[in-house]
Amino acid sequence: MRIIRNINDQWLFEEKGETSYVDLPHTWNAIDGQDGGNDYYRGTCTYTRELSKEECEGQALFLEVKAAAMSAEVFLNDEKIGGHKGGYSAFRVELTDKLSERNILKIRVDNGENDSVYPQKADFTFYGGLYRGVELISVPAQHFELLKDDTPGIKVTPSVDLKNKSAKVSVETWQNGGEVSIIVNGQTKTVPSVDGHAKADFLIENVRLWDGKNDPYLYTAQARLSSGDEISTRFGCREYHIDPNEGFFLNGRSYPLRGVSRHQDLKGKGNAVGIEDMKADMAIIKELGANTLRLAHYQHAQDFYDLCDENGLVVWAEIPYITMHMKNGRENTLSQMRELIVQSYNHPCIAVWGLSNEITAASPANEDLLENHRQLNELCHRLDPTRLTTMANVFMLETDSPILEIPDINSYNLYFGWYLGDLKQNDGFFDDYHRTYPERVIGFSEYGADANPSLHSVHPEKGDYSEEYQAIYHEHMLKMIEERPYLWATHVWNLFDFAADGRDEGGKHGENQKGLVSFDRKIKKDAFYLYKAAWNREEPFVHLCSRRYEKRHEDVTKIKVYSNQDSVALYVDDEFIEEKKGDKIFVFEYRLSGKHSVKAVSGDVRDTMTLEKVQAPVASYFLNNEVKEVRNWFDEEDTDPSCFSIKDTLGEITRHPQAGAIVKQMMDKASSERGDVANAVKDNPALQKMMASMTMESLLKQGGADEQSMKQLNRILQGIRK
Ligand code: GCB
């Protein structure tokens, strides 16, 4: 018999000499890790608990720590009995021979700076603590393996024959001797343990596939030893492959992966979330209709991979080898990857292993970094020949970098239209890449724009943090993705706002606000409904956008509706205004005069909001309460398209001798004034290429040019024929 007891209650917690009793899951950064200033406590804390006699019963006893962020040392009765490096994977320690009359367990956990444990530099809070709970596992003397990388002891490798509708299922177990009975789909096989390893193959005829969202069917494999120890795991039978032109295929048919990324933390709780929180997140993902998740930037809870199995989501799983390569960190990348794969191997949801994220952002792609990636890639293939490897590259990594040849498939994180550049550069980047490397698989691992749902704008602009700019940004991205079926997967950054204590922007402290949903999960921003309209075809809905922009000062206002229906009717104050046919986005105009109730209707579904005409723009809708003149002078100027203008890209302009000379002169002057930055651009061909595809208008705005000088340059360019 195997008895699993959670021991999550009543731990004596000590932080900087102060003690209190806490229950697990627990983090010490739930508040200071989320309030901005980048000043949350990073150091060592201890958790101590006496184990009762009953909890120590059994022939062999193991402690399982589901996660200890970021490193841990385990002591029993003051003797060190184990330790672990890495804050996102589980680890076990055997207690059996160390037990005495009274047993005091102490776990010292450390999230301080460290030059050999990842992550150390990244855009999220490195919460410390025992944030996924702790268990005691009591087993007979003869038992399945528990120690090696916290293995579940049972490994299932299905291989599907789509033509014959069958699956060969190979089940392996590890144990300290005896015979093993393995049961799969009603068939039992008894096999000997040879050198601690047993293996049995099964054939499932008329196999029911794990078929993504359509039918995420799960089988169970069980294994028993004569001692009574018993383990089981769920698994799914599925086949996938990826085509450089046509993208992802699941079970033989095209299944474009379109979805979001998720960080695991929650407002007020940090990373110490429970199963109910995870289920609530999954309900939101189901409502959105995504069919894939990038579970960034580290191993997530096994409970969450279970939820993905059950709900048919195709998952990208990764380790926190992120932003900055550390010369002492290689062993840690390998151990975190080994644990991720060993602990998560049986989940059918997982399709790819992510080697790293934006690793060249703060480190050169030197030989040490390349070798680290080669070893990771080789490790993934050795431990798991059934899955592909990938990595998420930063936008300024040149596409001919040798690092792109290491993983099986590629992906880029691009933020054109948010941190820099124009939305259209995203389109151009992928078109160029696909043209240059038609045989390579490419995906879009991150894209997003921050939005604070209390900020609003009638003329949304990059950098204004308005809910409206985020919506426009995603409208562009959704269309660009729909037009590029070769993208093997696309993941919005991020589904939820998350804690990044180093951030202090967009009217909030300590949050990255690129979420489609707020950090407390209470507000679904407009962009959420855009994707819902595209991805959730089952649940008819209409959604009125900018509902929080209630007090409007413009005379004629825009009323935008997102819907998965093909027509939407608008009513104001119960009077029918107009019905429009369309696809996902429906835009109406209405002249305001006082307070109105607005209703959007399609068939049986409706949404309502109130609007009110006010005399002046409401300051609280603007970042820092600074009311901006709501007009874009450029759109009001008459532009002759046969002549150059600042709407043309730098590349287009510089190719023309006369226009090019003018712009070059202007840029030389600017670079002599801004030395270092300009030199960095000069020496970086990837950045130069990027700038060439940006419009002059966007470059000027980014460089802080004022309206006058932009108008002046525009007038000069308008005098030059194309
Ligand atoms: C990235 C990183 C991610 C950040 C994101 C952002 O490229 O991979 O960790 O949170 O950008 O919002 O800047």
Side-chain angles (χ1 to χ4, degrees):
M1 258 259 284
R2 174 176 283 228
I3 300 169
I4 301 177
R5 291 191 176 87
N6 83 50
I7 47 166
N8 289 336
D9 60 328
Q10 287 290 302
W11 287 80
L12 181 69
F13 172 68
E14 187 194 330
E15 175 180 346
K16 293 184 264 179
E18 306 240 325
T19 56
S20 58
Y21 280 94
V22 300
D23 288 342
L24 309 183
H26 174 262
T27 173
W28 59 79
N29 299 120
I31 296 176
D32 68 357
Q34 306 192 335
D35 60 359
N38 208 18
D39 53 358
Y40 60 104
Y41 178 60
R42 290 187 65 186
T44 302
C45 294
T46 56
Y47 294 84
T48 309
R49 186 184 184 280
E50 180 164 359
L51 304 179
S52 70
K53 286 239 156 8
E54 192 197 358
E55 284 165 345
C56 295
E57 276 169 9
Q59 293 171 343
L61 191 70
F62 292 81
L63 170 77
E64 173 167 306
V65 178
K66 292 178 181 293
M70 298 287 177
S71 309
E73 290 178 300
V74 180
F75 300 84
L76 188 66
N77 303 327
D78 287 333
E79 183 195 345
K80 183 171 170 191
I81 56 165
H84 185 255
K85 289 180 174 176
Y88 304 94
S89 42
F91 66 97
R92 296 195 188 112
V93 182
E94 180 158 14
L95 306 185
T96 320
D97 297 337
K98 311 275 168 24
L99 294 165
S100 332
E101 259 316 285
R102 278 189 72 190
N103 291 294
I104 312 284
L105 184 65
K106 187 195 272 185
I107 308 179
R108 187 185 288 156
V109 186
D110 178 10
N111 71 336
E113 280 181 31
N114 189 317
D115 71 354
S116 62
V117 178
Y118 286 97
Q120 291 298 326
K121 192 175 167 68
D123 178 33
F124 58 96
T125 295
F126 305 146
Y127 300 99
L130 292 178
Y131 68 92
R132 282 187 194 144
V134 174
E135 283 176 352
L136 285 175
I137 306 174
S138 163
V139 286
Q142 187 187 73
H143 54 259
F144 290 104
E145 172 67 46
L146 284 143
L147 290 179
K148 262 190 223 137
D149 298 319
D150 204 41
T151 171
I154 181 167
K155 178 177 172 191
V156 183
T157 309
S159 108
V160 172
D161 181 342
L162 289 176
K163 263 209 206 107
N164 289 318
K165 298 199 173 74
S166 66
K168 192 180 141 218
V169 178
S170 152
V171 182
E172 293 165 90
T173 64
W174 286 264
Q175 52 283 317
N176 55 0
E179 265 188 348
V180 189
S181 295
I182 302 178
I183 309 172
V184 167
N185 201 33
Q187 305 168 48
T188 305
K189 294 195 175 176
T190 302
V191 283
S193 173
V194 180
D195 295 335
H197 177 243
K199 183 167 184 269
D201 289 336
F202 296 82
L203 183 71
I204 305 182
E205 312 262 21
N206 290 319
V207 65
R208 184 159 165 196
L209 297 173
W210 185 90
D211 200 24
K213 281 179 17 175
N214 308 322
D215 184 17
Y217 187 75
L218 295 169
Y219 288 92
T220 301
Q222 284 166 283
R224 268 191 219 133
L225 286 168
S226 51
S227 65
D229 194 21
E230 193 172 315
I231 48 178
S232 71
T233 183
R234 296 187 305 184
F235 67 95
C237 298
R238 48 124 179 95
E239 182 274 346
Y240 78 87
H241 65 271
I242 309 180
D243 180 272
N245 283 310
E246 294 175 60
F248 194 87
F249 283 74
L250 181 64
N251 299 328
R253 75 195 146 73
S254 166
Y255 193 79
L257 296 181
R258 301 295 175 250
V260 292
S261 285
R262 171 187 183 257
H263 260 301
Q264 64 183 356
D265 65 338
L266 183 61
K267 178 132 183 128
K269 290 193 179 180
N271 52 1
V273 297
I275 184 70
E276 292 310 320
D277 299 313
M278 294 182 218
K279 285 185 179 164
D281 278 6
M282 185 51 74
I284 295 174
I285 292 161
K286 290 194 79 175
E287 180 188 344
L288 181 67
N291 64 7
T292 179
L293 288 180
R294 178 173 171 213
L295 293 181
H297 281 307
Y298 38 72
Q299 184 170 331
H300 284 225
Q302 289 300 313
D303 284 337
F304 203 80
Y305 296 118
D306 281 341
L307 286 170
C308 294
D309 288 341
E310 289 161 16
N311 289 287
L313 288 147
V314 176
V315 166
W316 160 328
E318 69 190 43
I319 56 165
Y321 182 25
I322 179 167
T323 316
M324 180 183 69
H325 171 78
M326 301 190 293
K327 68 176 190 317
N328 298 331
R330 186 184 297 175
E331 176 44 37
N332 188 248
T333 64
L334 295 169
S335 67
Q336 292 209 43
M337 184 61 89
R338 210 164 43 234
E339 291 168 342
L340 171 67
I341 297 177
V342 169
Q343 294 171 22
S344 324
Y345 182 90
N346 295 333
H347 292 286
C349 65
I350 297 177
V352 296
W353 304 118
L355 306 182
S356 64
N357 179 71
E358 300 202 343
I359 197 64
T360 57
S363 308
N366 60 21
E367 181 49 32
D368 193 49
L369 182 143
L370 291 176
E371 181 55 19
N372 202 144
H373 280 77
R374 281 187 216 109
Q375 290 194 15
L376 277 172
N377 198 50
E378 187 274 328
L379 177 73
C380 292
H381 287 147
R382 184 153 42 81
L383 294 179
D384 183 2
T386 72
R387 290 181 174 95
L388 298 175
T389 57
T390 189
M391 59 190 284
N393 287 303
V394 63
F395 76 97
M396 68 236 189
L397 177 77
E398 290 174 51
T399 55
D400 59 2
S401 165
I403 203 169
L404 288 158
E405 289 166 35
I406 296 176
D408 299 325
I409 56 174
N410 279 308
S411 299
Y412 262 89
N413 299 347
L414 301 183
Y415 285 95
F416 297 118
W418 180 246
Y419 289 124
L420 81 169
D422 307 316
L423 284 166
K424 274 205 161 144
Q425 281 177 272
N426 298 288
D427 318 21
F429 179 93
F430 285 117
D431 290 342
D432 279 355
Y433 188 96
H434 189 52
R435 203 177 310 114
T436 316
Y437 302 104
E439 75 297 347
R440 281 197 200 165
V441 172
I442 183 75
F444 200 3
S445 32
E446 273 182 37
Y447 63 100
D450 291 75
N452 175 338
S454 59
L455 301 180
H456 299 284
S457 172
V458 179
H459 294 286
E461 280 196 347
K462 177 169 87 179
D464 68 8
Y465 291 84
S466 70
E467 189 172 14
E468 287 73 23
Y469 183 74
Q470 187 192 42
I472 289 179
Y473 170 95
H474 283 294
E475 284 175 19
H476 177 93
M477 299 306 244
L478 180 61
K479 184 161 178 296
M480 108 77 184
I481 287 165
E482 284 175 345
E483 288 166 357
R484 287 167 181 77
Y486 60 82
L487 294 170
W488 75 269
T490 63
H491 292 104
V492 174
W493 189 258
N494 195 289
L495 175 55
F496 303 113
D497 292 346
F498 58 90
D501 200 51
R503 285 186 181 255
D504 187 6
E505 60 187 62
K508 288 200 182 169
H509 299 287
E511 277 184 41
N512 183 313
Q513 299 180 71
K514 294 192 185 66
L516 302 177
V517 179
S518 61
F519 196 12
D520 60 8
R521 290 17 178 192
K522 290 199 174 122
I523 296 179
K524 292 174 183 138
K525 305 177 196 175
D526 288 340
F528 176 91
Y529 293 94
L530 173 72
Y531 287 104
K532 179 174 172 179
W535 297 338
N536 181 340
R537 308 308 296 175
E538 280 104 56
E539 179 201 329
F541 79 95
V542 288
H543 169 79
L544 281 160
C545 295
S546 300
R547 64 196 315 111
R548 283 166 282 271
Y549 175 45
E550 194 176 327
K551 296 184 188 316
R552 305 188 177 188
H553 79 285
E554 64 271 24
D555 295 327
V556 176
T557 197
K558 238 195 225 168
I559 298 178
K560 185 153 76 179
V561 178
Y562 290 150
S563 174
N564 54 3
Q565 302 301 291
D566 54 16
S567 76
V568 173
L570 185 78
Y571 295 79
V572 178
D573 302 327
D574 285 329
E575 189 189 320
F576 172 76
I577 306 295
E578 200 183 349
E579 174 154 8
K580 286 199 177 219
K581 291 208 168 306
D583 177 28
K584 302 188 272 285
I585 307 167
F586 303 79
V587 183
F588 303 86
E589 286 194 341
Y590 186 75
R591 181 169 290 277
L592 296 169
S593 62
K595 219 172 174 172
H596 303 282
S597 89
V598 177
K599 185 163 70 184
V601 181
S602 183
D604 293 340
V605 289
R606 64 200 51 219
D607 193 19
T608 56
M609 66 177 181
T610 45
L611 294 184
E612 187 182 341
K613 169 90 174 111
V614 290
Q615 291 319 308
V618 174
S620 63
Y621 292 147
F622 296 85
L623 195 54
N624 308 322
N625 287 327
E626 282 165 17
V627 176
K628 267 206 174 174
E629 244 335 287
V630 282
R631 83 202 164 83
N632 190 351
W633 63 269
F634 192 88
D635 295 336
E636 290 157 18
E637 300 250 309
D638 276 338
T639 309
D640 177 354
S642 64
C643 296
F644 284 102
S645 78
I646 61 170
K647 280 279 183 222
D648 293 316
T649 64
L650 178 65
E652 286 160 347
I653 296 175
T654 47
R655 274 195 292 279
H656 186 277
Q658 192 189 351
I662 291 165
V663 167
K664 186 171 176 307
Q665 193 187 15
M666 194 192 86
M667 292 191 49
D668 284 349
K669 183 163 174 283
S671 61
S672 68
E673 283 159 13
R674 275 190 300 152
D676 287 354
V677 181
N679 280 335
V681 172
K682 213 167 66 209
D683 294 339
N684 186 327
L687 279 179
Q688 272 179 354
K689 200 168 142 218
M690 224 161 270
M691 282 179 65
S693 61
M694 285 167 71
T695 64
M696 206 56 220
E697 181 192 17
S698 131
L699 279 165
L700 289 166
K701 275 193 188 160
Q702 210 137 291
D706 59 36
E707 189 176 315
Q708 261 337 89
S709 38
M710 284 167 73
K711 277 184 172 168
Q712 198 186 351
L713 176 66
N714 195 51
R715 251 173 252 133
I716 299 172
L717 290 173
Q718 281 280 280
I720 306 172
R721 288 220 149 267
K722 282 185 176 170

